[in-house]
C-alpha cells in the first residue's frame, strides 16, 4: 500500500510539474517539451510515470504528441478542450462565425502588439507556404494550429493568452469537422497566399483597420460548410463589400480607360 501511495504521489507531482511549466508559459504554446529521458532526469521519476502524465495532459488538450517529432504544447489550460466539447453542440455555421470574430480580433491586436521577432516569424511562414511544393501540407484548417503556421502565429502575436486558448478550442472542433468532410477549404492556394500576404503587410505596418479588414476577407472565403460547396465560391455580402472597398489583394482593378492599375490594399493607402 505504501508503495502504491508513493507511486500515486509521484504521478501527481509529475503532472503538477508539467502543468506548471505550461500554464506559466515557460513552455510556450507550439513549443516542443523536453524529450522523455530529459523529463525523467529532470523530475526524478520513471518512464511510465512521465508517459502517464503526458497522456493525461494530452487528454486535456494541453499537449499533443506527434510521432517521430515529439510532444508539443497545445494549450496553456484545459479551457480549449472544454470549449471544443461545448461548441460541438452548436451549429457549425455559428462556429465558423465565432472563429471569424476571433481571428479578426487577433489580427487587430497583432498589429498593435506584435514584436519584431513575431513579425519575422510571420514573414517566414508566408515565405515557406509560398515556396512549398504543390501537394504538400498547407496552412489550411487541418494545419492552421501546427507550430509555425500563419494563423497560429497571428493569434500568438496578439499577445492575448485568452484569445489563444479560445482559438485553439474553436479550431480543434473545425479540424474534427474537416476530417469528417463537413468543412472544406473554399479558396485556392494562390488566393490564400495573397490573403496571408495582405494580413502580414497590415500587421507589419501596424495598420489595425487593414489588419481587421484583410483578415475578415480571408476568413470569409477561407473555410465553409460542405453543404454549401456548389456555391461556396460566390462572394458573401461581407466579402463583396470588402472587395469593393479595395481590400482584395488578388484583384486586378482597371482605370477609366480599361488599363490595369496598381493595387492598393488599403483604401487611401500610399
Amino acid at each position: 500500500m505504501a508503495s502504491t501511495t508513493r507511486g500515486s504521489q509521484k504521478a501527481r507531482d509529475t503532472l503538477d510539474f508539467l502543468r506548471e511549466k505550461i500554464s506559466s508559459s515557460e513552455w510556450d504554446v507550439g513549443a516542443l517539451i523536453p524529450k522523455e529521458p530529459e523529463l525523467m532526469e529532470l523530475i526524478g521519476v520513471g518512464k511510465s510515470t512521465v508517459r502517464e502524465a503526458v497522456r493525461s495532459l494530452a487528454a486535456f488538450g494541453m499537449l499533443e504528441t506527434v510521432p517521430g517529432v515529439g510532444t508539443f504544447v497545445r494549450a496553456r489550460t484545459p479551457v480549449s478542450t472544454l470549449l471544443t466539447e461545448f461548441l460541438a453542440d452548436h451549429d457549425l455555421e455559428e462556429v465558423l462565425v465565432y472563429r471569424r470574430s476571433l481571428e479578426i480580433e487577433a489580427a487587430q491586436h497583432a498589429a498593435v502588439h506584435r514584436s519584431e521577432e513575431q513579425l519575422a516569424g510571420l514573414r517566414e511562414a508566408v515565405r515557406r507556404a509560398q515556396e512549398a511544393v504543390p501537394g504538400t501540407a498547407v496552412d489550411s484548417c487541418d494545419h492552421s494550429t501546427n507550430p509555425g503556421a500563419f494563423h497560429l502565429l497571428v493569434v500568438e502575436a496578439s499577445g492575448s493568452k485568452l484569445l489563444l486558448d479560445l482559438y485553439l478550442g474553436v479550431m480543434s472542433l473545425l479540424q474534427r469537422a474537416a476530417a469528417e468532410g463537413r468543412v472544406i477549404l473554399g479558396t485556392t492556394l494562390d488566393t490564400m497566399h495573397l490573403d496571408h500576404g495582405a494580413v502580414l503587410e497590415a500587421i507589419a505596418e501596424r495598420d489595425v483597420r487593414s489588419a481587421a479588414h484583410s483578415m475578415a476577407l480571408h476568413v470569409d472565403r477561407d473555410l465553409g460548410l460542405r453543404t454549401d460547396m456548389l456555391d461556396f465560391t460566390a462572394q458573401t455580402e461581407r466579402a463583396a463589400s470588402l472587395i469593393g472597398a479595395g481590400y482584395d489583394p488578388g484583384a486586378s482593378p482597371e482605370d477609366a480607360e480599361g488599363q490595369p492599375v496598381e493595387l492598393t490594399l488599403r483604401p487611401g493607402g500610399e
Side-chain angles (χ1 to χ4, degrees):
M1 177 65 72
S3 177
T4 301
T5 302
R6 286 196 297 272
S8 299
Q9 186 59 50
K10 281 186 177 182
R12 286 194 293 270
D13 290 345
T14 302
L15 189 65
D16 289 343
F17 176 88
L18 298 179
R19 190 161 46 198
E20 171 60 24
K21 292 290 187 181
I22 296 169
S23 62
S24 67
S25 295
E26 184 173 339
W27 294 345
D28 289 332
V29 172
L32 273 169
I33 71 171
K35 301 290 186 181
E36 196 173 80
E38 297 176 64
L39 290 175
M40 291 166 57
E41 182 177 352
L42 191 62
I43 307 171
V45 296
K47 180 185 296 185
S48 61
T49 302
V50 169
R51 288 185 176 178
E52 179 183 348
V54 169
R55 281 196 298 267
S56 295
L57 293 181
F60 283 128
M62 297 174 69
L63 293 176
E64 180 181 356
T65 299
V66 179
V69 180
T71 300
F72 291 93
V73 178
R74 275 298 183 217
R76 292 184 308 108
T77 70
V79 65
S80 59
T81 301
L82 295 173
L83 178 62
T84 298
E85 298 309 314
F86 171 75
L87 291 174
D89 293 329
H90 290 71
D91 187 85
L92 266 181
E93 187 171 359
E94 292 185 40
V95 177
L96 285 168
V97 171
Y98 185 48
R99 174 249 179 172
R100 179 182 188 272
S101 300
L102 290 176
E103 297 234 31
I104 293 172
E105 192 68 18
Q108 292 183 103
H109 278 272
V112 175
H113 299 293
R114 58 85 178 159
S115 66
E116 289 302 316
E117 182 180 358
Q118 289 168 328
L119 180 60
L122 287 166
R123 292 191 190 281
E124 173 60 20
V126 168
R127 184 201 63 76
R128 189 171 58 246
Q130 291 174 340
E131 295 179 359
V133 177
T136 58
V138 297
D139 188 12
S140 55
C141 182
D142 52 336
H143 296 98
S144 59
T145 57
N146 287 354
F150 181 78
H151 283 260
L152 179 62
L153 291 175
V154 170
V155 180
E156 289 176 340
S158 74
S160 171
K161 293 180 178 179
L162 178 57
L163 263 177
L164 180 59
D165 286 339
L166 295 175
Y167 172 74
L168 292 173
V170 169
M171 290 310 300
S172 178
L173 177 62
L174 292 179
Q175 287 165 348
R176 185 188 307 171
E180 295 168 354
R182 294 186 293 144
V183 169
I184 61 169
L185 182 65
T187 187
T188 66
L189 288 182
D190 286 343
T191 299
M192 180 192 296
H193 296 330
L194 288 169
D195 283 352
H196 285 181
V199 174
L200 170 62
E201 179 183 342
I203 291 175
E205 295 296 324
R206 299 193 184 278
D207 188 332
V208 175
R209 184 180 66 167
S210 287
H213 287 168
S214 297
M215 182 62 86
L217 176 59
H218 177 47
V219 295
D220 265 348
R221 58 189 181 185
D222 182 17
L223 301 179
L225 302 180
R226 178 164 288 277
T227 52
D228 298 331
M229 185 161 28
L230 292 178
D231 60 357
F232 187 65
T233 54
Q235 300 294 346
T236 65
E237 184 176 344
R238 279 188 311 236
S241 65
L242 288 167
I243 291 171
Y247 282 95
D248 185 1
S252 298
E254 297 179 345
D255 62 17
E257 298 179 356
Q259 297 300 313
V261 297
E262 183 178 356
L263 174 66
T264 300
L265 292 177
R266 296 180 298 279
E270 299 178 358

